[in-house]
Amino acid sequence: QVQLVESGGGLVQAGGSLRLSCAASGRTFDTHGMGWFRQAPGKEREFVATINWSAGVTRYADSVKGRFTISRDNAKNTMYLQMISLKPEDTAVYYCAASRVSAVTIYRGQYAYWGQGTQVTVSS
């Protein structure tokens, strides 16, 4: 079993920045890919960013490309999402997810483990 805990969410004005963290524990040796998804009220959970744990290969949704940066700290088993130039449209609950697939998948169904989510609110 893999447990994921997100942190770092909060309220920020448009144009500001936030850094989300996702701490992984448990059988992480079977986890090869991690990613961030978000879900706004009334909308489906959507892909944000993903990273291959060993190689560090990344992939981003077009809506956040150039503004968000996904990274990982192998020693701490922690993944990060650095968000800059935040927009009100970025307001959502952000979820950390882990996959047994090594590819940088964007599909929700390929992520076996999920965190509880952390709220990000961007005011205008």
Side-chain angles (χ1 to χ4, degrees):
Q1 185 180 10
V2 175
Q3 294 182 340
L4 305 173
V5 180
E6 304 99 330
S7 62
L11 175 65
V12 65
Q13 290 188 329
S17 63
L18 282 174
R19 187 197 193 200
L20 305 183
S21 298
C22 174
S25 61
R27 297 175 62 86
T28 57
F29 57 86
D30 282 332
T31 299
H32 303 294
M34 296 186 72
W36 291 96
F37 289 76
R38 67 186 182 185
Q39 187 166 20
K43 293 187 176 182
E44 291 187 342
R45 191 173 301 180
E46 65 177 3
F47 166 76
V48 176
T50 186
I51 186 169
N52 171 267
W53 197 256
S54 60
V57 179
T58 61
R59 185 175 179 180
Y60 299 90
D62 290 340
S63 59
V64 305
K65 193 175 300 181
R67 299 188 298 117
F68 291 10
T69 302
I70 188 171
S71 62
R72 83 269 195 245
D73 187 327
N74 300 73
K76 296 181 178 180
N77 272 339
T78 301
M79 177 180 65
Y80 305 95
L81 185 67
Q82 180 66 54
M83 306 182 293
I84 65 171
S85 301
L86 284 163
K87 307 174 181 179
E89 305 93 276
D90 296 318
T91 296
V93 176
Y94 284 70
Y95 295 91
C96 173
S99 174
R100 292 177 294 176
V101 179
S102 60
V104 285
T105 180
I106 68 171
Y107 302 107
R108 291 174 293 173
Q110 293 187 318
Y111 288 87
Y113 309 101
W114 295 83
Q116 82 286 352
T118 184
Q119 177 70 48
V120 172
T121 302
V122 184
S123 64
S124 59

